[in-house]
Amino acid sequence: MKHLLSLLLLTALLYGSAFSQGASFEEAVVDVGNIGLTITNSGFFGRANVRNQPTGPPSMEYPLDSGVEHLFEAGLWIGARRSDGTFTVRTGSQTSSRGYQAGALGFELTPNEIITERSTLRDSEALSSLAISHQDYLTSYVDTARVLPNTFIPHPDPAGRLGLRVDQKTLAWNFPFTEAFVIVQFDIENISNAAWDSVYVGIYSDLVVRNVNTTTESGGAFFNKGGHGFLDSLHAVYAFNAGGTEESVNTYGGYAFLGAEWEDPDTGQRRFFHPNVAETYVADGLPAPRTNPRWWNFGGNPDPELSRPGTDIQKYDRMAQPYPNPRNYTLPDGSFDEAAYEEARRNWRETLRTGGQRSEGNYLTLLSAGPFPRVEPGDVLTVTFAFVTALKPEAYQGLEGRPIDNEESQALLRSNLLWAQRTYRGEDNNYNGILDPGEDINENGVLDRFLIPEPPSSPTLRVELEQGKAVLYWARDAEASIDPVTGRRDFEGYRIYRSDPGDDLRGNIANEASLIAQFDKPGNRTGFNNGLDAIALSEPVTFPDDTTRYYYRFESDGLLSGWQYLFAVTAFDEGDPDAGLPSFESSRTANAVRVFPGTPPRPSAEDGKVGVYPNPYRTNAAWDGGTNRTRKLYFYNLPPRAQIRVYTLAGEIVASFDHDAATYTGSTRWYNDFSAENRVLPGGEHAWDLLSDNGLNLATGLYLFTVKNLDTDEVQTGKFVIIR
């Protein structure tokens, strides 16, 4: 024991400085909008085990709570030539079947700070005057640690160090036009004592678009259905499900280079870096800024350019050299065979786009930007990307639309990418990094990014259930919103949305919700001009568990018991028709509430006898999911606290569970796969998945049940039939 303690003490002395610095590994989920993205303080993104553990945090899920994932894992790559002539690439993630492993090669960025959150939302616990978006996450990491913080695990590949610190910032908003992307900004500081030359910065990823709740495929079959592509004008790589047949909405997922800034050592000035300004770089004798998309096979390929890059030289080459490489299309006379090159590029893009249809779509992706000519010691290189998702339009939903990839199917993806660009640009309307005349909206003399017109804030919403009816109450906080661009308080009105039965099974219930009512201010050119009197309460109301003052009320009746409905109330502004500024609306997902109509708790049988529906239950009822663990049968008219038991005709107990109206929010797999935490249940109903206590399916037949009131000991009985 003394020898062990001495060894630990010696190790601590040898590595003490490294052991005491930095922060432990952390991860957080960006989820303020309609995308759920896991971020870390180690330079990588996503949750690699999301296929095997779909009920945990999302990896890169869109729509949120749909089960449709778009990412296995992604990581920051930084490549450069050091002063000793060595080309090195520092990677936050690389090709691995297991994803992140502490201390493993390829995971070369070490936590330096914990993850902190800031928000501009007034009701957020992270509210801060320093926040930029509705959900900022800030952290930092380095490549200089000797061991991983708070461990004795050696840092991988110390010989490949660049000497860098990265301050990472993620930004997300819940506006309808921003809720499908997350912006990631990297401030990369050279903390070594020597310059870096010919620097490239990129994001490596394993993009995989599958519904992890409904697919039955795993292993290679899960990963090889991908279609891949690149939108040249938007500098964006993307992927889609081209061959999977699970029940799911059809979506795109990818990421784009938005822009960068670096300090030009020749002038000492910060300089904007983007392909849009390539001509100015060439005119100054510098390499033109460009983006470079690369793909390679997970399982290897006879072509070395399409196999995994193993060395830093190979990784740097992937960042710097395109594929197909134009150098290979030089004719004997030295001229460039443009026709042959363009044909090769078209064929390669077609292979990527259609590979998933043949179960050959298991590609890894890298999108890099560069070259940044030189980064001196102490200088900071700021590079910004955006993770972007989108639905395919309705015409491209269903299995027939799944493999289609064209401009029409990409319409919403392109729109979301343009909004990511617009959000990043802020006042930079010309996208040239210069504050041109007429662009200084807030007149502060500074080019402000992330400055966009904002709709009013989302109203605070509460939903109360009555049998067959949902009663919506909301506050008037949205009416005080001030647009940061115009400086005006421009609230106009409210819109009320509701989904229909069955909209939840495709995983897109929020977007399926349709407008059922609108109320807005009279006397202008926006909206219906029908006023707010029809929904305004004579006096604001509060609730025993809620001190919020609610000023508006709306009833939605005719709801069917057992089905899930989503309700949302949005606020919209009046816009400015004369200036060509459209009316903007708050997000449906920001305050969406899911409700399950049904019976309230019944203290005794005299108030209503317990029962079961549907009865008989036929396999694959309309509201069931696609597996035997996502089925539902409801017990109704239950007491506030009850014990429920199900028996065979022989008297054998096959299932037993308790019900508590005060705490029950749905406990079966169905709720994990097709619902979300913000749901309201009626209190007198309990869903059962028709599985025995041993997890077995019940056979066709007649079953008996008892319901015992745990407050009065009253017992009620009944029976139901299962037909398979």
Side-chain angles (χ1 to χ4, degrees), residues 500-712:
D500 291 325
D503 284 347
D504 43 22
L505 295 182
R506 289 202 303 167
N508 189 29
I509 189 171
N511 287 320
E512 295 284 354
S514 56
L515 181 68
I516 60 172
Q518 175 175 316
F519 304 91
D520 54 75
K521 296 189 300 185
N524 58 32
R525 291 180 289 170
T526 304
F528 296 161
N529 289 278
N530 55 350
L532 305 179
D533 292 345
I535 52 174
L537 294 165
S538 58
E539 295 290 338
V541 298
T542 59
F543 293 87
D545 60 340
D546 183 358
T547 59
T548 301
R549 292 163 64 87
Y550 294 97
Y551 288 82
Y552 300 101
R553 185 180 192 273
F554 179 85
E555 292 186 5
S556 178
D557 54 17
L559 306 184
L560 303 176
S561 293
W563 291 93
Q564 177 176 215
Y565 295 83
L566 179 141
F567 285 93
V569 176
T570 66
F572 62 99
D573 61 32
E574 60 191 38
D576 189 342
D578 294 329
L581 192 65
S583 171
F584 288 103
E585 180 181 9
S586 64
S587 169
R588 297 185 209 175
T589 62
N591 64 8
V593 178
R594 300 163 189 249
V595 302
F596 293 79
T599 58
R602 308 293 192 188
S604 71
E606 295 179 357
D607 300 310
K609 182 173 174 54
V610 297
V612 167
Y613 70 92
N615 190 8
Y617 170 86
R618 291 179 171 84
T619 301
N620 296 326
W623 54 45
D624 286 350
T627 71
N628 61 5
R629 296 188 178 276
T630 53
R631 295 170 180 160
K632 284 190 303 178
L633 179 145
Y634 282 99
F635 292 86
Y636 67 94
N637 280 340
L638 294 173
R641 296 174 60 250
Q643 180 191 70
I644 303 168
R645 285 181 173 174
V646 179
Y647 304 81
T648 65
L649 288 178
E652 177 187 0
I653 298 176
V654 294
S656 178
F657 45 93
D658 290 344
H659 173 77
D660 187 336
T663 60
Y664 176 69
T665 58
S667 55
T668 66
R669 175 69 179 270
W670 190 97
Y671 291 94
N672 288 327
D673 287 1
F674 300 108
S675 190
E677 293 181 359
N678 54 335
R679 55 181 177 256
V680 179
L681 278 73
E685 299 199 357
H686 194 111
W688 176 49
D689 55 14
L690 293 103
L691 296 176
S692 72
D693 286 343
N694 295 324
L696 301 177
N697 290 311
L698 298 191
T700 294
L702 178 66
Y703 292 85
L704 310 176
F705 69 85
T706 61
V707 175
K708 179 180 180 181
N709 188 324
L710 295 178
D711 294 319
T712 66

